[in-house]
Amino acid sequence: MSARLIRSASPERSARSSARRRPYAASIALAGVLAFTAACGSGKDVALPTSAPTSDPTTPSSSTSSSSAAPSSSSVVPTTTTTTPPKATGGPPKPPAPPVGAPGAGTVPAPGSVGFRGDAAALKVIDGPGNAPAGTKWNAGQLQVVANDLVLDGVSVKGGITFQGGGTLTIRNSIVEGNRSSQSAVLGLKGHLDISDSTLRWKAGDTPGNTWGNGAVHGDSTMTLRRNDISGTPDGIQNGPGRSLIEQNWIHDLARIGTYPNNTHNDGIQSYGGPDLIIRNNRIDIEGPDGVAYDGTHQNGAVFVQPGGGGASNLQVVGNFLAGGGYIMRLEGPISGAVVTDNKFGPTTGGWGEVLVEKNVAIASWSNNTSDSGKAVNKPS
């Protein structure tokens, strides 16, 4: 859920003065059952992790061992294993090689070219306490991860995943379906999420409520998200702490539900600030039918940065295709050192423009950003 856009005779003023969404509060208490609360628009700030990964978000210090190449999408071998972080041997481990057919480095994925692309029947199904792997508990329609440094590779989880362990939760070559029990496909309460080459979606027929605003990937965990297919939730990704890499994902077909004032407010990526967030080479399309960027009610922005009191620093929005929203990209302050380069924007039909940059946003670099017609999108004054 995101800041509401209200059409008026003065659209820019309307967008700036609209009701603002603040970070959700998420807590889990275990006393025989899982008590889960996730509220958007609560006015509460996101609680940042007490320990941050290294300054390079692609190789956090809590990363699990992943030096072997990932299996190709045509021959996935289901595994669920717990691992111990490797000892230092001259630097953090490299991520596994992308599967065969993945988009090349530095390119925006075509629709359907990322996510899990193998045989879903070959995946190991996790749908209840009887097949929950070690280090997890099945609780009321969701998989609760309590282990440190868990790897889920080649699984189909018929419910959302809540990560409350330590270290890194790694998900590869998998399908995860959120539902009303979990409210997100993957909710990270702490540690680091490393998710690649997976499909994260909402369970068919289990429509999110119109007041829910959670992303398919959501939370206070730092994140490394590569080559995922994300759909079906009100927001695509919500990131609380920064220090994260969001790269070559396809975010599309978000849930547009309800009528004003009880409606979803869709964002492809919503950031609540923090340092060193990299949004790079993604395809983020939250348009409505027939290429309508904003239908007058639902879509807020493909990228929406709304820092809390700590602000945001060293934000990078580079090389993306961005479409949909009253403003397709919306940056609120305080932000320092932002780099916005090489992005292509979709049509602005129904909306007000490609970019809204509000007060107290310092742009360090702005270049080669183009509109749907091929014209330059100039740095806002």
Short mmCIF file of all heavy atoms in Angstrom, two decimals, residues 271-278 305-317 331-340 357-366 379:
data_model
loop_
_atom_site.label_atom_id
_atom_site.label_comp_id
_atom_site.label_asym_id
_atom_site.label_seq_id
_atom_site.Cartn_x
_atom_site.Cartn_y
_atom_site.Cartn_z
N SER A 271 10.39 1.64 -1.02
CA SER A 271 11.51 1.65 -0.08
C SER A 271 11.21 2.63 1.04
O SER A 271 10.72 3.74 0.80
CB SER A 271 12.80 2.08 -0.79
OG SER A 271 13.79 2.45 0.16
N TYR A 272 11.55 2.23 2.27
CA TYR A 272 11.38 3.09 3.43
C TYR A 272 12.70 3.72 3.86
O TYR A 272 12.84 4.17 4.98
CB TYR A 272 10.75 2.31 4.57
CG TYR A 272 9.36 1.82 4.26
CD1 TYR A 272 9.09 0.47 4.12
CD2 TYR A 272 8.32 2.72 4.07
CE1 TYR A 272 7.82 0.02 3.82
CE2 TYR A 272 7.04 2.28 3.77
CZ TYR A 272 6.79 0.93 3.64
OH TYR A 272 5.54 0.49 3.34
N GLY A 273 13.68 3.74 2.94
CA GLY A 273 14.92 4.44 3.24
C GLY A 273 16.06 3.51 3.60
O GLY A 273 16.08 2.33 3.25
N GLY A 274 17.04 4.06 4.29
CA GLY A 274 18.25 3.33 4.61
C GLY A 274 19.31 3.57 3.54
O GLY A 274 19.04 4.16 2.49
N PRO A 275 20.53 3.09 3.77
CA PRO A 275 21.62 3.31 2.82
C PRO A 275 21.72 2.22 1.77
O PRO A 275 21.27 1.09 1.96
CB PRO A 275 22.86 3.29 3.73
CG PRO A 275 22.49 2.29 4.80
CD PRO A 275 21.01 2.49 5.04
N ASP A 276 22.30 2.59 0.62
CA ASP A 276 22.83 1.61 -0.34
C ASP A 276 21.80 0.65 -0.91
O ASP A 276 22.05 -0.55 -1.05
CB ASP A 276 23.96 0.81 0.31
CG ASP A 276 25.06 1.68 0.88
OD1 ASP A 276 25.36 2.72 0.27
OD2 ASP A 276 25.61 1.34 1.95
N LEU A 277 20.63 1.16 -1.27
CA LEU A 277 19.65 0.34 -1.98
C LEU A 277 19.92 0.48 -3.47
O LEU A 277 19.97 1.59 -4.01
CB LEU A 277 18.23 0.79 -1.65
CG LEU A 277 17.12 0.11 -2.47
CD1 LEU A 277 17.10 -1.40 -2.22
CD2 LEU A 277 15.75 0.73 -2.14
N ILE A 278 20.06 -0.66 -4.16
CA ILE A 278 20.30 -0.69 -5.60
C ILE A 278 19.10 -1.32 -6.29
O ILE A 278 18.75 -2.48 -6.02
CB ILE A 278 21.58 -1.47 -5.94
CG1 ILE A 278 22.79 -0.84 -5.26
CG2 ILE A 278 21.79 -1.53 -7.45
CD1 ILE A 278 24.07 -1.65 -5.40
N VAL A 305 10.04 5.82 -3.22
CA VAL A 305 10.96 5.87 -2.09
C VAL A 305 10.42 6.87 -1.08
O VAL A 305 10.28 8.07 -1.39
CB VAL A 305 12.38 6.26 -2.53
CG1 VAL A 305 13.33 6.29 -1.33
CG2 VAL A 305 12.90 5.26 -3.58
N GLN A 306 10.11 6.40 0.09
CA GLN A 306 9.49 7.22 1.14
C GLN A 306 10.24 6.96 2.45
O GLN A 306 9.84 6.16 3.28
CB GLN A 306 8.01 6.85 1.29
CG GLN A 306 7.25 7.74 2.27
CD GLN A 306 5.82 7.25 2.47
OE1 GLN A 306 5.58 6.07 2.65
NE2 GLN A 306 4.89 8.17 2.46
N PRO A 307 11.38 7.62 2.64
CA PRO A 307 12.21 7.32 3.81
C PRO A 307 11.52 7.68 5.11
O PRO A 307 10.69 8.59 5.18
CB PRO A 307 13.44 8.21 3.60
CG PRO A 307 13.44 8.55 2.15
CD PRO A 307 12.00 8.61 1.76
N GLY A 308 11.91 6.94 6.15
CA GLY A 308 11.51 7.31 7.49
C GLY A 308 12.42 8.40 8.02
O GLY A 308 13.13 9.08 7.26
N GLY A 309 12.47 8.54 9.32
CA GLY A 309 13.25 9.62 9.92
C GLY A 309 14.73 9.55 9.64
O GLY A 309 15.42 10.57 9.62
N GLY A 310 15.27 8.34 9.37
CA GLY A 310 16.68 8.20 9.10
C GLY A 310 17.09 8.56 7.69
O GLY A 310 18.28 8.66 7.39
N GLY A 311 16.13 8.75 6.79
CA GLY A 311 16.43 9.13 5.43
C GLY A 311 16.98 7.97 4.62
O GLY A 311 17.02 6.82 5.05
N ALA A 312 17.41 8.29 3.40
CA ALA A 312 18.01 7.33 2.49
C ALA A 312 19.28 7.93 1.92
O ALA A 312 19.35 9.13 1.68
CB ALA A 312 17.04 6.97 1.37
N SER A 313 20.28 7.08 1.67
CA SER A 313 21.53 7.56 1.10
C SER A 313 22.03 6.57 0.06
O SER A 313 21.82 5.36 0.18
CB SER A 313 22.59 7.75 2.19
OG SER A 313 22.85 6.54 2.88
N ASN A 314 22.69 7.12 -0.95
CA ASN A 314 23.32 6.32 -2.00
C ASN A 314 22.34 5.41 -2.73
O ASN A 314 22.69 4.30 -3.16
CB ASN A 314 24.48 5.49 -1.44
CG ASN A 314 25.50 6.35 -0.74
OD1 ASN A 314 25.81 7.45 -1.18
ND2 ASN A 314 26.02 5.87 0.38
N LEU A 315 21.12 5.86 -2.88
CA LEU A 315 20.12 5.14 -3.66
C LEU A 315 20.55 5.08 -5.12
O LEU A 315 20.99 6.09 -5.69
CB LEU A 315 18.76 5.85 -3.54
CG LEU A 315 17.66 5.38 -4.49
CD1 LEU A 315 17.17 4.00 -4.09
CD2 LEU A 315 16.51 6.40 -4.49
N GLN A 316 20.41 3.93 -5.75
CA GLN A 316 20.67 3.78 -7.18
C GLN A 316 19.44 3.22 -7.87
O GLN A 316 18.96 2.14 -7.50
CB GLN A 316 21.85 2.86 -7.44
CG GLN A 316 23.18 3.38 -6.94
CD GLN A 316 24.34 2.47 -7.36
OE1 GLN A 316 24.36 1.93 -8.47
NE2 GLN A 316 25.30 2.30 -6.46
N VAL A 317 18.93 3.93 -8.85
CA VAL A 317 17.85 3.45 -9.72
C VAL A 317 18.42 3.51 -11.13
O VAL A 317 18.47 4.56 -11.76
CB VAL A 317 16.58 4.30 -9.59
CG1 VAL A 317 15.45 3.71 -10.44
CG2 VAL A 317 16.14 4.39 -8.13
N LEU A 331 10.08 10.14 -5.58
CA LEU A 331 11.12 10.17 -4.56
C LEU A 331 10.78 11.24 -3.53
O LEU A 331 10.62 12.41 -3.87
CB LEU A 331 12.48 10.49 -5.20
CG LEU A 331 12.93 9.60 -6.35
CD1 LEU A 331 14.29 10.06 -6.88
CD2 LEU A 331 13.00 8.13 -5.94
N GLU A 332 10.70 10.82 -2.28
CA GLU A 332 10.48 11.75 -1.18
C GLU A 332 11.75 11.85 -0.35
O GLU A 332 12.54 10.91 -0.27
CB GLU A 332 9.32 11.28 -0.29
CG GLU A 332 7.97 11.28 -0.97
CD GLU A 332 6.84 10.93 -0.01
OE1 GLU A 332 7.13 10.67 1.19
OE2 GLU A 332 5.68 10.90 -0.45
N GLY A 333 11.95 12.99 0.30
CA GLY A 333 13.12 13.18 1.13
C GLY A 333 12.90 12.69 2.55
O GLY A 333 11.78 12.37 2.95
N PRO A 334 14.00 12.66 3.34
CA PRO A 334 15.35 13.05 2.93
C PRO A 334 16.09 11.94 2.20
O PRO A 334 16.12 10.80 2.67
CB PRO A 334 16.03 13.38 4.26
CG PRO A 334 15.31 12.52 5.27
CD PRO A 334 13.90 12.41 4.79
N ILE A 335 16.67 12.29 1.04
CA ILE A 335 17.51 11.37 0.28
C ILE A 335 18.78 12.11 -0.10
O ILE A 335 18.72 13.26 -0.57
CB ILE A 335 16.80 10.88 -1.00
CG1 ILE A 335 15.52 10.10 -0.67
CG2 ILE A 335 17.73 10.00 -1.84
CD1 ILE A 335 14.71 9.71 -1.88
N SER A 336 19.93 11.47 0.06
CA SER A 336 21.19 12.07 -0.35
C SER A 336 21.93 11.13 -1.29
O SER A 336 21.82 9.90 -1.17
CB SER A 336 22.08 12.37 0.87
OG SER A 336 22.41 11.17 1.56
N GLY A 337 22.66 11.71 -2.24
CA GLY A 337 23.52 10.92 -3.11
C GLY A 337 22.82 9.99 -4.06
O GLY A 337 23.36 8.94 -4.43
N ALA A 338 21.60 10.33 -4.52
CA ALA A 338 20.84 9.44 -5.39
C ALA A 338 21.42 9.44 -6.81
O ALA A 338 21.79 10.48 -7.36
CB ALA A 338 19.38 9.85 -5.42
N VAL A 339 21.46 8.25 -7.41
CA VAL A 339 21.89 8.07 -8.80
C VAL A 339 20.70 7.53 -9.58
O VAL A 339 20.18 6.43 -9.27
CB VAL A 339 23.08 7.11 -8.90
CG1 VAL A 339 23.43 6.82 -10.36
CG2 VAL A 339 24.29 7.69 -8.16
N VAL A 340 20.26 8.27 -10.60
CA VAL A 340 19.12 7.87 -11.42
C VAL A 340 19.57 7.96 -12.88
O VAL A 340 19.63 9.05 -13.45
CB VAL A 340 17.88 8.76 -11.17
CG1 VAL A 340 16.71 8.30 -12.01
CG2 VAL A 340 17.51 8.76 -9.68
N VAL A 357 9.89 14.46 -7.85
CA VAL A 357 10.94 14.54 -6.85
C VAL A 357 10.54 15.62 -5.86
O VAL A 357 10.43 16.80 -6.22
CB VAL A 357 12.31 14.85 -7.47
CG1 VAL A 357 13.36 15.03 -6.39
CG2 VAL A 357 12.72 13.72 -8.41
N GLU A 358 10.33 15.23 -4.62
CA GLU A 358 9.86 16.18 -3.63
C GLU A 358 11.05 16.84 -2.92
O GLU A 358 12.20 16.65 -3.29
CB GLU A 358 8.91 15.47 -2.66
CG GLU A 358 7.69 14.91 -3.38
CD GLU A 358 6.54 14.57 -2.47
OE1 GLU A 358 6.68 14.75 -1.24
OE2 GLU A 358 5.49 14.14 -2.97
N LYS A 359 10.76 17.66 -1.93
CA LYS A 359 11.79 18.44 -1.26
C LYS A 359 12.81 17.55 -0.55
O LYS A 359 12.52 16.43 -0.17
CB LYS A 359 11.14 19.40 -0.24
CG LYS A 359 10.27 20.47 -0.88
CD LYS A 359 9.68 21.37 0.19
CE LYS A 359 8.82 22.47 -0.43
NZ LYS A 359 8.23 23.36 0.61
N ASN A 360 14.01 18.09 -0.39
CA ASN A 360 15.06 17.45 0.38
C ASN A 360 15.53 16.14 -0.26
O ASN A 360 15.86 15.17 0.44
CB ASN A 360 14.61 17.19 1.82
CG ASN A 360 15.78 17.04 2.78
OD1 ASN A 360 16.91 17.41 2.46
ND2 ASN A 360 15.51 16.49 3.94
N VAL A 361 15.55 16.11 -1.60
CA VAL A 361 16.10 14.99 -2.34
C VAL A 361 17.31 15.49 -3.11
O VAL A 361 17.17 16.34 -4.00
CB VAL A 361 15.07 14.36 -3.29
CG1 VAL A 361 15.71 13.27 -4.14
CG2 VAL A 361 13.89 13.79 -2.50
N ALA A 362 18.50 14.97 -2.80
CA ALA A 362 19.73 15.39 -3.47
C ALA A 362 20.11 14.34 -4.51
O ALA A 362 20.38 13.19 -4.17
CB ALA A 362 20.85 15.56 -2.46
N ILE A 363 20.10 14.75 -5.78
CA ILE A 363 20.45 13.87 -6.89
C ILE A 363 21.93 14.05 -7.22
O ILE A 363 22.36 15.13 -7.63
CB ILE A 363 19.60 14.15 -8.12
CG1 ILE A 363 18.10 14.09 -7.80
CG2 ILE A 363 19.96 13.20 -9.25
CD1 ILE A 363 17.59 12.72 -7.46
N ALA A 364 22.73 12.99 -7.06
CA ALA A 364 24.16 13.07 -7.39
C ALA A 364 24.40 12.88 -8.88
O ALA A 364 25.34 13.46 -9.44
CB ALA A 364 24.93 12.01 -6.60
N SER A 365 23.58 12.06 -9.53
CA SER A 365 23.75 11.80 -10.96
C SER A 365 22.40 11.52 -11.60
O SER A 365 21.64 10.68 -11.08
CB SER A 365 24.70 10.63 -11.18
OG SER A 365 24.86 10.35 -12.56
N TRP A 366 22.13 12.21 -12.72
CA TRP A 366 20.88 12.00 -13.46
C TRP A 366 21.22 12.08 -14.94
O TRP A 366 21.65 13.12 -15.43
CB TRP A 366 19.86 13.08 -13.09
CG TRP A 366 18.53 12.93 -13.78
CD1 TRP A 366 18.23 13.15 -15.09
CD2 TRP A 366 17.30 12.53 -13.16
NE1 TRP A 366 16.91 12.89 -15.34
CE2 TRP A 366 16.31 12.51 -14.17
CE3 TRP A 366 16.96 12.18 -11.86
CZ2 TRP A 366 14.99 12.16 -13.91
CZ3 TRP A 366 15.65 11.83 -11.60
CH2 TRP A 366 14.67 11.83 -12.61
N LYS A 379 16.09 15.95 -15.37
CA LYS A 379 16.12 16.01 -13.92
C LYS A 379 15.15 17.07 -13.42
O LYS A 379 15.19 18.22 -13.87
CB LYS A 379 17.54 16.35 -13.46
CG LYS A 379 17.70 16.52 -11.96
CD LYS A 379 19.13 16.90 -11.63
CE LYS A 379 19.32 17.21 -10.16
NZ LYS A 379 20.71 17.60 -9.84
#
